[in-house]
Structure formats: C-alpha cells, structure tokens
Amino acid sequence: MTPPIVKRYLIAFDKYKWIGLASFALVVAGSTVVAIQPEPPPSYVADGALTYTRPPVSFSTTGSEIQQQGQALSRQVLLSDPIIEAVATKVNVKPSTIGQNIALRLPDASRPGEAQSTIIELKYQDTDRQRAQLIVQELMQAMIRLSGDINTGRLNAIIEKINERLPQAKSELEAAEQKLELYDRRERPAILAAENGSLLGAVTNSQNQQRLIQLTVAGIDAQTRSLQEKLGLNASQAYVSSALSADPILANLRSQIYQAESQITLLRKDLRPEHPTMIQLQRQKESVEELLQQRAAEVVGGGGTAAPLPGNITGIRAQSNLDPARQQLAYQLVALETQRETLEQQLAQQIREEERLRQEYSQIPNKQLERSRLEQEVGLRKAVYDQMQVKLTDARTAEAETVSSLTVARVPNVVTDTANARSVPLTLGVGSFLGLLIGGGVVFLLGSLEGTFKTKEDIRNSLRQREVALLGEIPLMPVDDLDKEAVPVLNSPDSPYLEFYEKFRSNVRRLGGKNLKVLLITSTGSQEGKTVSAYNLGIASARAGKRTLIIETDLRSPSRAASLNISPDTGASLEPLRYYANLNECIRLVPDVENLYIIPSPGPVRQSAAVIESSEMRKLMEDVRERFDFVILDTNPLSLSNDPLLIQPYSDAIVLVARPNHTEENMLAEAIDQLVEFELGLLGTIINGADIIVTSPQTNSLEEQPPIVEEVSASASRN
C-alpha cells in the first residue's frame, strides 16, 4: 500500500508539476552559469602568528590579573573597526576588503590537545604578494599595541576607581568611629556600671533604704496612735488646739467672754433679756466671739485647708484650752506626723529610683548589642578602607609591570594559494541534485499550503482526534462517458461498490439505533460527493428490504433525479409550496430499484429558506416519517447556506461527507465543533473518493481504482 506522504506528494505534483519543473530548471541554469565561469586569478596567503606573554617577574597581584585578562582577547576586539581602518590607511586598501579577506584563529581550550595553546594565527589572502605580507605585519603590530593599550587602560581604570571610592570609604570610617565615640560618651557609664555590678548594688541599696524607712514609719505610727489615745485628738486637731492654746490674744478674748457670760448669768435673775444692760452685755459677748473666731483663723492660717477650724465658736473655745502638759503632747503628735510625711516622701522617691535603676538595667543588653554593632561597623569600614589602600598600593606597583599581552611568535610568511580547478560535470551534477530537491520541496510546500486533506488517512486522523465516528470509506464510482452530468448510482445488484454502501448503511443502523428514521446527509463544501452518497445509500437500504425515500432538499440547485431515470416536474419551481402540499404527486417511484422512492427538488427556487420552514414542508416530513422505513435528506453544503440547519429539526441524525483533496481541514473541524457544541445530532462522517482497491466480481480479482476516477465530472462529484 502506498504510504500517505507519497500519496500527498503525488496529488500535489499533479497540480504543481510545472512550478516544480520551473524551480528545477532555474537551479540547473544557475549551476550551469557557475560551471562556465572562468577560473579566478592566482592569489597569495600571508601567514603570521602571535602568542600570549607575561613579564618574567611579577611583584603585584593586580599586574598578574591584568596580564591574565589580556590573554582573553576575542575576535571582535582584535579585528575591531579602528584596527582595520588604521591598517587600511597605511597600506591604502579599503577596510571592507581587509575585513573580507582576513582570517583569525584563536586558541581553543575546548579542543583536545590545545588546552595549553597560546598561538593566535593570522592569515590574509590577496592577489599581491608584498601587500599581503605588509597587511599581516601591520595587523600584528596594531594588535600588539592594542593589547598594551587595553592593559594600561584597565590598570588606569582600577586606580581611578579606587581613588574615587577612597574618600568615601574614609568618610564612612570616620562617621562610624564618631558614632561609636558619641555612643560611648552617652551610654558607656551605664554599661560599665552594669558590668562591674554597681548598678545592681544601687538597686539593692535602694531596697534597703525602703525597708529602713518603712520600719521607721511603723514606729512613728505606733507613737502617733499612743498620743492620739491620750489627747483624744488626731494630728490636725492637735495642731489646731496647740496653736490656739498658745496664742495670748485668744486667751484674753476667751477671758472676756467668760466675764461677759458671768455678768449675764448674775443679772439674769434680776433683769429680763430685753433690759438694756442685758442687751449690751449680749452684744459685747457676740463682738468678742467674732473677734475670737477671726483671731483663730489668723492663728491657724492656710484658709483652714491643712487644719480646719471648728464650725462654731463653741468648738474654737473647746480646742483653745489645752494646759501646758497636754499642749506638750500635742506638739509631739504634730512633730511625729510631720516626720511621717517626710519619710513617706523619701520612700516614694526611693521606689521611683529603684524603678529607674531597674529599667536602666533592663536596657543594658540592647545597649551592649548596639555598641557591638557600632564596633563591627567600624571594623568593617576600617577593613574596607585598609583593603582599598592595599589595592591602590598594589596597582601603583603594577604600573611598571603592565605591558602588552601579545608578542610576535612567527613573522609573516607568504605562500601561493593553489585552489582546485572547478569540475564542470560535478558542478552540473550537484546543481541537478539540488534542483530536484528544491523542485520537489516547492511542490510539497504548495500542496501543504492548500489546507485540504490529501488522503483518507489525514481525514481519519482528524476524526479520531475529535472523537467522531467514521461510518465508512467509499471509493469513487466511474461515470458514463456519454452522460458526464449523471450521478453514478448502483443500478446493478452485482456492482462491486455495493458492499461499501452496505457497510455504510449497517454502521448507520448500528450507531443510530432503532429510532433513527430520518437521516440528513451534507458536506462542508461542494464536489465532495454528498448526492452520490445519498443516492447510493438509499439504493443499498432499498435492496436490504427497507421502504426508503430520498428527499432532495437542496432547493438552490436543480434536481439530479434524472440519474435514477426520474423526470422532474418542470413546473414545480413556479409553485414549490403547492408541489410539496400534494404528497402523492411529488413522490416518485424509482423504476430500476424496488422499495426506493424519491422527491425531486423543484429547484432552483427563490427564498428556499421560506420553503423549508413552511407548514407544507413540516406536514410533508410528518407524513413521510409515518409512511417510510428510512428517509434520506440530501441537502446543500454547509458552507453555501444555512439550509441544512433549517431542515435539521426534521431529521434524527446528521452525516458529514468528506473527500480527499477537496475537503478543507479548517472547514471540516469548524463544522464538527459547531454540530457537537449545539448538539445537532452528528452521527458520524464518511470518506468519499477514497483510494480503495475494489474487487471485481467478474474476474474475482482485486483491481486498484484507475486514475480516471479522479477526473469525474464536476457536476457529478460536486453533489
């Protein structure tokens, strides 16, 4: 069996053979022109070599590094435009000519045996012997100078870069040292106090002072309670009583009040309260009491806030009559209260001091870490600064060692370039071979760019990728030379093509099931054989004993029923709705095939979509579904109109027809995707026009289909 790629190539060659032959002729003509060209004039090749070198003694690391870098020169550097232009100016040759004829070979450490090679080979080809030698010599000298300039430039760049960064590194070091010094001035005493234990000692001392003060306060509280029990006064009352009792003015006023009260008491027996003497004595007493109250306020002072006075004159008189002994006790009570308040203030101060010391002690680890960080920063800055100083010193030492990394290893030597004579037969043979390859490639490329399936294997693979059932592969049937407009049909029951359509029919029944009664057959484009498939499927179904009806629903094309010896109604195109309304008149019995009926198309008609969607068509489809065992709808291609989608609701399943060298890949894929996506009942696909060996019943032998089947009439294969 012929491989699919060979089939695709043969099909493409049949279409584009003249383009392939033209490509072959052009290549052969070009090789002929090359073969008859005259021999080029003799040329000379100047060969020289450079080698990497280094100073015999190296005292600086920077110098060694620069010399090592100088041994990694690339081709772009050695043959840069300034080098070639400088040499071209000296020898009076175009720079482009030197660039085209120069050959440079650098050491390749990746090749075996060349890992230690340091030779740079330089070759130049020219028609003048002396000029070739001079150009190579000048190029070698220019490369040596270039290497020296590169090494010097690298060293100067290093020194310049260090000088640029050195002031910044110095300022950063000074800033880091200044930060550390300021931090030590501020935090170093606390850190030292924590390290030598004095800070913890201060906390302990503060705690001892607090305990001592608390003991003293406890003793004072005991003495205060004893004195309060003896006097019957608290500290504030004792202070007021002692102050009032010690004032002589208050004592005098108090005696005046006693005298006035004594007189009032003596005269109350003889005089009434309204008596002028009694009124005078009462007013005198009230004035003295008012003076007593004012004086008491002056003696106590403070507006009565610290030691409040009694609210009435009786209380003032009661608190201002302490004797000397009780007055002494009151003084002691006031003194103890004052001492207690002083100690409480000292205790609060010691507590605050302890909290401050503890907080300061808790911050010591952070302060130590911060100081350690500042020390590390100073050390890092100092190390960088010292390293830059060392590098600068080393670079200045390398100034005396930096030289070119290249030296002459072999002076230029000129030899004659003896090119092999051109072989005309060999050139023509190679050109012919390339012509065959290019011509064949052009044919294959043009065939691939068509976007159509070339073989049945291509269609089969596409269907397998989209998981679409393959219902059958059917070969093309030959057409009668006398009537090329006719559709080839299976008129004879002994036709070798009948078994293919019988396989197609059985696959439809197997996949469609018992409920499949109306089958719609369409294709993506024209000339793919949908009408041939519909007619012959109907014949195969009728020969299998099924009452079969073929309905031509392609109303945009004329009927093909003449191939079945049926004469279409010529007046049906004028009134297609009346044509479909009378079922008994539009259905025709096929004379040559038993159980086969057909409704010829009245087309071409205008507004075919309206006819398909009419009530007459709907009633027709309902009637034929009841009267026939199997109904086949032959409709027009999907790419021409939407008529197949309009007639689809009347069908139970859809079959797509594909044909090699006619069906476009993208159109078939798009049609399958749409039918599957919208669930329009795609049952499967058949391949029409497949290159299949057909068995001849007369000779009982296998015969491969002749190439003439591919030349079937366009009108027959179109449907």
Side-chain angles (χ1 to χ4, degrees):
M1 182 176 290
T2 308
I5 189 171
V6 177
K7 296 179 182 178
R8 289 194 291 267
Y9 181 78
L10 292 177
I11 294 172
F13 182 78
D14 186 59
K15 287 186 176 182
Y16 305 107
K17 55 187 176 183
W18 296 113
I19 298 178
L21 291 176
S23 302
F24 171 77
L26 287 176
V27 175
V28 173
S31 62
T32 304
V33 172
V34 173
I36 63 176
Q37 290 294 323
E39 294 292 335
S43 61
Y44 303 93
V45 177
D47 183 9
L50 298 173
T51 184
Y52 292 118
T53 184
R54 63 176 60 192
V57 180
S58 179
F59 297 97
S60 64
T61 304
T62 304
S64 300
E65 293 176 354
I66 291 176
Q67 291 297 126
Q68 186 67 27
Q69 295 174 1
Q71 298 182 9
L73 298 175
S74 63
R75 176 184 179 87
Q76 290 76 11
V77 174
L78 293 176
L79 294 180
S80 58
D81 293 340
I83 294 293
I84 295 179
E85 291 175 358
V87 174
T89 303
K90 288 185 178 181
V91 299
N92 195 18
V93 178
K94 293 182 178 180
S96 59
T97 303
I98 297 178
Q100 294 174 359
N101 297 324
I102 193 69
L104 184 67
R105 184 174 180 271
L106 297 174
D108 190 358
S110 62
R111 295 182 180 179
E114 294 188 2
Q116 304 296 328
S117 177
T118 60
I119 300 299
I120 300 176
E121 296 183 358
L122 190 66
K123 294 182 179 181
Y124 182 78
Q125 185 176 5
D126 201 336
T127 56
D128 189 340
R129 176 188 295 270
Q130 294 181 355
R131 185 169 58 192
Q133 183 178 9
L134 178 61
I135 289 175
V136 172
Q137 184 176 356
E138 292 295 335
L139 283 173
M140 292 170 62
Q141 295 298 327
M143 291 177 183
I144 293 173
R145 291 192 298 270
L146 175 64
S147 176
D149 295 340
I150 290 175
N151 293 342
T152 303
R154 287 174 177 171
L155 179 61
N156 293 334
I158 292 174
I159 295 175
E160 182 179 357
K161 198 65 178 179
I162 293 175
N163 288 329
E164 289 179 359
R165 296 186 58 186
L166 195 60
Q168 181 181 358
K170 184 177 180 181
S171 62
E172 291 176 353
L173 174 60
E174 292 176 351
E177 291 176 344
Q178 186 176 5
K179 288 182 181 179
L180 179 61
E181 182 180 357
L182 293 175
Y183 191 80
D184 283 342
R185 290 179 183 178
R186 186 175 65 253
E187 304 294 345
R188 187 62 174 171
I191 296 175
L192 292 177
E195 292 176 352
N196 58 23
S198 59
L199 188 58
L200 288 176
V203 173
T204 303
N205 187 25
S206 177
Q207 293 176 346
N208 294 333
Q209 291 290 336
Q210 293 177 30
R211 285 193 290 270
L212 181 60
I213 292 173
Q214 290 173 354
L215 291 175
T216 305
V217 169
I220 292 175
D221 289 341
Q223 295 179 13
T224 300
R225 286 193 297 270
S226 177
L227 292 175
Q228 287 178 352
E229 291 175 357
K230 292 178 180 180
L231 290 174
L233 302 174
N234 56 24
S236 299
Q237 293 173 349
Y239 168 73
V240 174
S241 297
S242 61
L244 295 178
S245 301
D247 186 52
I249 297 176
L250 289 176
N252 186 18
L253 292 174
R254 191 171 59 252
S255 63
Q256 292 180 14
I257 293 173
Y258 287 149
Q259 291 177 2
E261 289 177 348
S262 300
Q263 292 179 4
I264 291 173
T265 302
L266 293 174
L267 295 176
R268 184 181 296 130
K269 297 178 180 180
D270 300 327
L271 300 176
R272 290 180 298 176
E274 294 82 1
H275 193 274
T277 303
M278 294 295 290
I279 293 174
Q280 182 179 4
L281 289 174
Q282 187 65 32
R283 290 178 178 177
Q284 182 179 359
K285 175 186 174 184
E286 291 176 357
S287 63
V288 174
E289 287 178 350
E290 184 179 355
L291 291 175
L292 178 66
Q293 191 171 4
Q294 293 178 357
R295 181 58 183 174
E298 293 176 357
V299 171
V300 175
T305 303
L309 288 172
N312 51 21
I313 192 64
T314 304
I316 294 176
R317 292 176 59 187
Q319 291 187 3
S320 61
N321 58 357
L322 293 179
D323 55 52
R326 289 172 57 84
Q327 190 173 4
Q328 186 64 31
L329 293 176
Y331 288 158
Q332 293 179 6
L333 180 59
V334 173
L336 289 174
E337 184 65 23
T338 303
Q339 184 179 2
R340 185 180 185 280
E341 293 177 354
T342 303
L343 291 175
E344 286 180 349
Q345 293 178 359
Q346 293 178 359
L347 178 61
Q349 184 177 1
Q350 289 295 330
I351 291 174
R352 290 194 297 271
E353 181 67 15
E354 181 186 359
E355 291 179 355
R356 185 187 66 80
L357 293 175
R358 287 184 179 276
Q359 184 177 4
E360 184 175 356
Y361 186 77
S362 65
Q363 295 177 355
I364 292 301
N366 294 334
K367 293 180 179 180
Q368 290 175 340
L369 290 176
E370 179 65 16
R371 190 179 188 283
S372 177
R373 186 189 66 79
L374 293 175
E375 285 183 343
Q376 291 178 358
E377 184 178 0
V378 170
L380 178 62
R381 300 297 182 188
K382 190 173 187 308
V384 172
Y385 181 75
D386 294 342
Q387 186 177 2
M388 293 178 67
Q389 289 283 6
V390 172
K391 189 68 175 179
L392 180 60
T393 304
D394 185 76
R396 294 192 182 281
T397 305
E399 289 181 341
E401 303 174 359
T402 303
V403 294
S404 176
S405 298
L406 297 176
T407 186
V408 177
R410 185 174 67 247
V411 297
N413 183 27
V414 182
V415 296
T416 303
D417 183 16
T418 56
N420 294 329
R422 185 184 301 111
S423 175
V424 176
L426 179 61
T427 303
L428 293 177
V430 173
S432 301
F433 178 73
L434 293 177
L436 289 175
L437 292 180
I438 294 174
V442 169
V443 171
F444 191 80
L445 178 61
L446 292 176
S448 301
L449 294 177
E450 284 185 351
T452 58
F453 294 104
K454 298 300 181 183
T455 63
K456 63 179 182 180
E457 288 81 7
D458 296 338
I459 302 177
R460 190 186 302 160
N461 293 332
S462 178
L463 297 178
R464 187 182 299 111
Q465 292 176 1
R466 287 171 171 78
E467 299 181 354
V468 177
L470 178 60
L471 301 176
E473 297 178 359
I474 302 174
L476 281 180
M477 298 175 58
V479 181
D480 189 1
D481 295 337
L482 299 179
D483 188 8
K484 293 187 178 181
E485 296 294 329
V487 176
V489 294
L490 301 171
N491 291 324
S492 174
D494 298 328
S495 175
Y497 299 95
L498 181 59
E499 61 175 320
F500 297 100
Y501 284 97
E502 178 60 30
K503 183 178 180 181
F504 173 27
R505 185 193 68 81
S506 61
N507 286 334
V508 170
R509 282 298 178 188
R510 179 175 56 85
L511 296 179
K514 297 181 179 180
N515 296 327
L516 176 60
K517 205 164 190 179
V518 180
L519 180 67
L520 188 148
I521 298 180
T522 184
S523 61
T524 59
S526 60
Q527 299 184 6
E528 295 180 3
K530 63 177 183 59
T531 300
V532 175
S533 302
Y535 279 13
N536 292 307
L537 177 62
I539 294 174
S541 176
R543 294 189 187 278
K546 304 294 183 181
R547 185 177 173 86
T548 306
L549 173 65
I550 301 174
I551 303 177
E552 291 184 332
T553 58
D554 185 0
L555 304 183
R556 300 175 183 268
S557 302
S559 174
R560 313 296 297 175
S563 301
L564 297 175
N565 297 325
I566 299 296
S567 299
D569 188 355
T570 56
S573 60
L574 300 178
E575 296 182 0
L577 296 180
R578 171 180 286 184
Y579 173 75
Y580 284 116
N582 192 347
L583 181 61
N584 294 326
E585 293 184 2
C586 65
I587 294 181
R588 306 291 182 87
L589 174 64
V590 178
D592 297 333
V593 183
E594 186 179 0
N595 294 327
L596 181 62
Y597 300 84
I598 186 171
I599 298 179
S601 170
V605 299
R606 296 180 179 180
Q607 298 180 351
S608 60
V611 175
I612 292 174
E613 293 179 327
S614 65
S615 59
E616 288 80 2
M617 179 64 72
R618 177 179 55 80
K619 184 178 179 181
L620 173 68
M621 295 305 301
E622 292 175 353
D623 291 342
V624 299
R625 182 180 287 271
E626 297 295 333
R627 296 175 58 177
F628 292 91
D629 298 329
F630 190 42
V631 179
I632 301 174
L633 303 180
D634 176 25
T635 183
N636 52 346
L638 292 170
S639 61
L640 299 181
S641 67
N642 284 335
D643 292 353
L645 301 180
L646 297 178
I647 199 69
Q648 181 271 335
Y650 301 119
S651 66
D652 298 326
I654 298 177
V655 173
L656 282 177
V657 179
R659 181 181 176 186
N661 208 29
H662 288 79
T663 302
E664 296 185 8
E665 299 178 8
N666 57 348
M667 291 183 63
L668 180 62
E670 183 178 356
I672 292 175
D673 293 340
Q674 289 182 357
L675 293 176
V676 173
E677 180 181 358
F678 295 104
E679 299 180 355
L680 298 180
L682 177 62
L683 184 64
T685 303
I686 64 169
I687 301 177
N688 186 35
D691 52 342
I692 301 176
I693 298 176
V694 181
T695 303
S696 175
Q698 289 80 7
T699 60
N700 196 20
S701 60
L702 299 179
E703 296 180 357
E704 188 170 0
Q705 227 174 338
I708 195 172
V709 299
E710 295 293 339
E711 300 176 2
V712 178
S713 169
S715 61
S717 59
R718 174 193 60 188
N719 298 298

